[in-house]
């Protein structure tokens, strides 16, 4: 009996480690592929009295079968993965000239918009200041990141300008726009390489936006479980647009395809799903495209997607439309949504935190910019 238990344990771990064997529907429902028959699938679910599997081994003997073991092992691996990425603020520890750790604070460098700490090296005598990500900027990092926070929280450029002036940073609204463009591009390029641990159920939807007074459509793809905004693209038309590019970007960035895709009935989603996500290999991805604005069942409504659409509409209303189709502002909204803004539906966490990416520090904008600049 001991040998049999060990065999089940080993087989269960082998199933969990093999790609494509387990499809997670949600936190308590899973589909596990049979090891002996490629067309046989077993349903594994967590109940009030423990785990249940539809396989004969569990149903007839009542034992913890290899499929349950595989799901539990997979769940444990997911919890480990979720804690794998931690971004900390960059702290000065070495002299940039000689690399010595014998450094100490040496007064303040006073700028028009704020103060920056200076250091001296006791080994080589060099006097320096380290401002990772904000080198050669006339204004200090706090002013720049405060502008990012105010703007993406909903303020206009000119209201952001007025708020910064009260904080002692007198800048033009065009300078603020330049900051937003520069640092959004820097951060977006960095966070796209981190690889969040998103779930297996994704949602896609489109919302109209104005670009130079003309109606366009922003297509967005998010993860259902964590609300992580995966990908986006702007299209000239709603009904003639091909969403395959959106799905391909999501597949590349997340390094996976969803087990379930939830959309409305737009034909662009159906055709793109078949070309980009569908597979003949079991378990096959499903496309649910008969959704409503509201509903009791998770798969029958698109409320989570409508919430992010509301964020986009509120932001665009303040801006009175976008100035260009490829504006970095939309990417900045994506970074803000994923890494900065806490969500009530996630118990106060950001989508990135729900995906296993922790951004430490009181100023998360600064932490992201510092890590992005250092990686670059």
């Amino acid at each position: 009996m001991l040998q049999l238990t060990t065999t089940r344990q080993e087989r269960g771990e082998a199933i969990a480690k093999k790609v494509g064997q387990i499809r997670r529907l949600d936190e308590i429902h899973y589909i596990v592929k049979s090891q002996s028959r490629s067309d046989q699938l077993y349903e594994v679910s967590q109940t009030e009295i423990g785990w249940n599997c539809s396989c004969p081994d569990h149903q007839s003997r009542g034992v913890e079968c290899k499929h349950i073991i595989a799901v539990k092992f997979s769940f444990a691996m997911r919890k480990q993965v979720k804690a794998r990425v931690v971004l900390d603020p960059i702290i000065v520890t070495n002299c940039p000239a000689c690399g010595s750790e014998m450094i100490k604070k040496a007064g303040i460098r006073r700028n028009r918009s704020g103060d920056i700490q200076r250091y001296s090296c006791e080994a080589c005598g060099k006097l320096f200041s380290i401002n990772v990500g904000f080198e050669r900027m006339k204004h200090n990092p706090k002013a720049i990141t405060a502008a990012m926070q105010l703007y993406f929280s909903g303020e206009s450029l000119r209201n952001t300008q007025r708020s910064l002036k009260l904080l002692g940073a007198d800048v033009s609204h065009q300078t603020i726009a330049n900051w937003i463009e520069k640092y959004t591009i820097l951060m977006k390029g960095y966070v796209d390489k981190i690889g969040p641990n998103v779930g297996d159920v994704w949602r896609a939807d489109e919302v109209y936006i104005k670009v130079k007074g003309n109606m366009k459509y922003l297509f967005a793809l998010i993860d259902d479980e964590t609300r992580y905004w995966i990908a986006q693209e702007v299209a000239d038309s709603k009904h003639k647009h091909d969403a395959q590019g959106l799905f391909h970007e999501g597949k590349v960035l997340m390094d996976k395809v969803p087990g379930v895709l939830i959309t409305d009935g737009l034909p662009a989603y159906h055709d793109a799903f078949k070309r980009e996500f569908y597979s003949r290999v079991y378990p096959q991805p499903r496309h649910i495209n008969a959704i409503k604005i509201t509903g009791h069942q998770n798969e029958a409504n698109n409320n989570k997607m409508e919430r992010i659409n509301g964020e986009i509409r509120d932001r665009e209303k303040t801006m009175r439309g976008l100035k260009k189709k490829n504006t970095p502002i939309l990417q900045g909204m994506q970074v803000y949504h994923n890494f900065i803004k806490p969500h009530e539906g996630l118990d106060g966490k950001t989508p990135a935190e729900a995906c296993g990416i922790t951004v430490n520090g009181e100023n998360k904008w600064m932490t992201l910019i510092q890590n992005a600049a250092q990686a670059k």
Side-chain angles (χ1 to χ4, degrees):
M1 180 61 69
L2 181 60
Q3 181 62 35
L4 182 61
T5 303
T6 304
T7 302
R8 282 202 190 97
Q9 184 73 28
E10 292 174 347
R11 290 179 179 177
E13 292 182 8
I15 292 174
K17 292 177 180 178
K18 188 175 180 180
V19 178
Q21 291 294 109
I22 301 175
R23 189 175 80 204
R24 185 172 63 90
L25 302 180
D26 53 43
E27 289 292 342
I28 61 173
H29 297 96
Y30 298 78
I31 299 295
V32 182
K33 187 178 179 181
S34 171
Q35 283 186 308
S36 57
R37 292 179 55 187
S38 60
D39 61 340
Q40 179 67 57
L41 302 176
Y42 297 115
E43 298 179 10
V44 178
S45 59
Q46 190 175 27
T47 67
E48 295 181 354
I49 59 174
W51 288 90
N52 181 67
C53 180
S54 61
C55 75
D57 190 28
H58 179 77
Q59 294 297 320
S60 62
R61 296 188 179 95
V63 298
E64 187 175 69
C65 64
K66 60 186 178 183
H67 309 108
I68 294 177
I69 293 172
V71 168
K72 293 173 69 174
F73 188 79
S74 175
F75 183 75
M77 287 195 298
R78 283 188 67 244
K79 290 185 68 175
Q80 292 176 359
V81 170
K82 279 192 173 184
R84 76 186 187 280
V85 179
V86 178
L87 305 181
D88 291 312
I90 304 299
I91 301 174
V92 178
T93 57
N94 299 86
C95 171
C98 67
S100 172
E101 295 183 358
M102 299 172 61
I103 61 174
K104 63 179 182 179
K105 293 182 179 179
I108 300 294
R109 192 183 83 194
R110 302 195 181 279
N111 284 356
R112 182 174 55 185
S113 63
D115 301 332
I116 298 177
Q117 180 67 54
R118 288 194 304 183
Y119 299 87
S120 66
C121 177
E122 295 182 333
C124 67
K126 182 176 177 61
L127 192 67
F128 62 93
S129 60
I130 294 183
N131 208 9
V132 178
F134 302 92
E135 297 87 352
R136 296 183 295 278
M137 299 297 288
K138 293 182 180 179
H139 296 272
N140 71 6
K142 290 184 178 179
I144 295 172
T145 54
M148 304 281 287
Q149 178 66 29
L150 286 167
Y151 184 76
F152 287 110
S153 295
E155 295 293 339
S156 66
L157 284 174
R158 294 190 183 276
N159 280 344
T160 300
Q161 176 191 13
R162 297 185 188 103
S163 297
L164 288 184
K165 192 170 184 178
L166 294 175
L167 298 175
D170 191 2
V171 297
S172 68
H173 70 279
Q174 184 57 52
T175 296
I176 296 172
N178 294 340
W179 291 347
I180 291 170
E181 180 171 356
K182 173 181 178 177
Y183 287 110
T184 290
I185 294 173
L186 176 67
M187 289 185 292
K188 186 64 166 58
Y190 173 68
V191 299
D192 279 350
K193 299 177 182 178
I194 295 179
N197 186 37
V198 297
D200 297 321
V201 180
W202 296 0
R203 294 176 180 266
D205 198 14
E206 71 288 339
V207 58
Y208 70 86
I209 58 176
K210 285 185 178 180
V211 180
K212 288 186 176 180
N214 298 317
M215 182 175 290
K216 307 289 183 182
Y217 286 89
L218 175 64
F219 283 73
L221 184 67
I222 72 166
D223 174 44
D224 178 77
E225 179 187 353
T226 64
R227 276 77 160 177
Y228 192 90
W229 189 347
I230 297 171
Q232 60 168 292
E233 63 181 3
V234 178
D236 295 327
S237 170
K238 175 179 178 178
H239 295 283
K240 296 181 180 179
H241 181 63
D242 185 355
Q244 186 175 2
L246 176 73
F247 293 167
H248 179 74
E249 181 182 357
K251 181 173 71 173
V252 171
L253 291 176
M254 301 301 107
D255 194 27
K256 66 184 293 186
V257 298
V260 178
L261 176 68
I262 303 174
T263 70
D264 57 24
L266 195 68
Y269 295 130
H270 176 71
D271 298 337
F273 171 83
K274 290 173 62 177
R275 295 196 302 269
E276 198 64 38
F277 290 155
Y278 183 75
S279 172
R280 294 181 180 274
V281 179
Y282 286 89
Q284 294 175 320
R286 288 191 302 145
H287 182 201
I288 300 172
N289 60 354
I291 58 172
K292 303 175 183 178
I293 297 300
T294 59
H296 296 292
Q297 297 300 321
N298 191 43
E299 292 182 349
N301 69 78
N302 213 17
N303 294 344
K304 294 177 182 178
M305 199 73 229
E306 286 298 320
R307 182 65 193 92
I308 193 173
N309 286 347
E311 292 180 23
I312 296 169
R313 291 191 190 98
D314 291 343
R315 175 67 272 181
E316 188 217 8
K317 183 178 180 181
T318 303
M319 296 166 55
R320 298 180 182 177
L322 302 171
K323 301 300 183 290
K324 54 185 179 180
K325 184 176 178 180
N326 60 342
T327 175
I329 291 173
L330 292 174
Q331 294 183 343
M333 292 172 59
Q334 189 175 348
V335 173
Y336 175 70
H337 172 91
N338 287 338
F339 292 87
I340 306 297
K341 182 181 179 181
H343 291 249
E344 291 184 6
L346 300 174
D347 296 326
K349 294 182 180 179
T350 65
E353 289 172 334
C355 289
I357 303 172
T358 302
V359 182
N360 288 329
E362 294 183 0
N363 189 332
K364 292 187 177 183
W365 288 110
M366 192 176 300
T367 300
L368 283 173
I369 291 172
Q370 287 178 336
N371 281 271
Q374 188 178 61
K376 185 177 180 181

